[in-house]
C-alpha cells in the first residue's frame, strides 16, 4: 500500500510526513511518500493534500501543477481512492473560496470557504490554538475519538457546508466552526492532525486503515 502526500509547493510537509510515516508503521499501512510526481499520485492507494497560506494561492499552485492536478482528480473522482485534505487542502475541497477574491475549488463538498466571524468580538481571528471537537456523525476516522477531544487549529477562514450531513465535526468559537468534512471516500480536516498530539495521530492512523 502506498500513501502519497502531494507536494505542490504550498506548505512545509516535514511534520506531516513524519506523523504519517509513524502511524503507517503502527497500523501496518505500507509506505508513505511526499511527492510532486504525477505518476506516483496516479498509482497511490491513498492521497493526502496539505496546504498552508491563502486559498487563491494554493488553488493556483495546485492547478499550475497540471500533471498532479489531473492525476489527483482522476484518482479521487474516477477511481475512488481514499483522500484526506488538511488545512487549506481541506478548504480546496469546497465549491469556492472567498478569501481576497472568489476562487473556484475542487467542488467535491458543496459549500463556501468564508472568514470566521465570532459572535464574541473579543475573540481574535485567526482562530489559533487548541479547541474541543464536537462530533456530529459516525465515521471510521473517529475510532477511539470522542467529542471533547481537542485538536490544534491555525486559520482565519472555515468551510460553510451546504449539506449539514457532510460536516462531521465542528468546534465552538463563539459560533460553529467546521472542523471535519467528508463524504464517500473523501475527508477533510481543518486543524493540523500532525500537531494535535495523540488525538491527531489516532485520526491519521484511522485514515490509513480506512477501507471505504
Amino acid at each position: 500500500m502506498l500513501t502519497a502526500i502531494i507536494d505542490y509547493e504550498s506548505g512545509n510537509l516535514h511534520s506531516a510526513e513524519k506523523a504519517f510515516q509513524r502511524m503507517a508503521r503502527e497500523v501496518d499501512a505500507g509506505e508513505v511518500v511526499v511527492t510532486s510526481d504525477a505518476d506516483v499520485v496516479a498509482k497511490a492507494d491513498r492521497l493526502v493534500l496539505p496546504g498552508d497560506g491563502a486559498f487563491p494561492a494554493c488553488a493556483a499552485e495546485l492547478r499550475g501543477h497540471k500533471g498532479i492536478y489531473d492525476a489527483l482528480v482522476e484518482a479521487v473522482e474516477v477511481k475512488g481512492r481514499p483522500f484526506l485534505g488538511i488545512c487549506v487542502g481541506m478548504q480546496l475541497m469546497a465549491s469556492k473560496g472567498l478569501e481576497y477574491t472568489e476562487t473556484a475549488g475542487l467542488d467535491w463538498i458543496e459549500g463556501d470557504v468564508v472568514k470566521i466571524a465570532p459572535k464574541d468580538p473579543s475573540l481574535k481571528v485567526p482562530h489559533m490554538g487548541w479547541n474541543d471537537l464536537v462530533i456530529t456523525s459516525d465515521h471510521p476516522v473517529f475510532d477511539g475519538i470522542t467529542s471533547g477531544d481537542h485538536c490544534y487549529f491555525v486559520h482565519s477562514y472555515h468551510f460553510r457546508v451546504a449539506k449539514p450531513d457532510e460536516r462531521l465535526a465542528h468546534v465552538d468559537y463563539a459560533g460553529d466552526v467546521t472542523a471535519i468534512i467528508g463524504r464517500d471516500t473523501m475527508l477533510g480536516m481543518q486543524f493540523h492532525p500532525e500537531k494535535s498530539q495523540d488525538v491527531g495521530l489516532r485520526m491519521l492512523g484511522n485514515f490509513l486503515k480506512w477501507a471505504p
Side-chain angles (χ1 to χ4, degrees), residues 8-27:
Y8 60 111
E9 300 179 39
S10 289
N12 183 351
L13 306 183
H14 180 73
S15 58
E17 177 185 20
K18 295 304 179 187
F20 271 98
Q21 289 176 342
R22 171 183 168 179
M23 295 314 297
R25 291 192 297 270
E26 290 195 14
V27 303

Side-chain angles (χ1 to χ4, degrees), residues 51-68:
D52 288 316
F55 188 109
C58 289
E61 285 288 355
L62 181 59
R63 290 189 169 94
H65 290 71
K66 182 170 172 49
I68 292 176

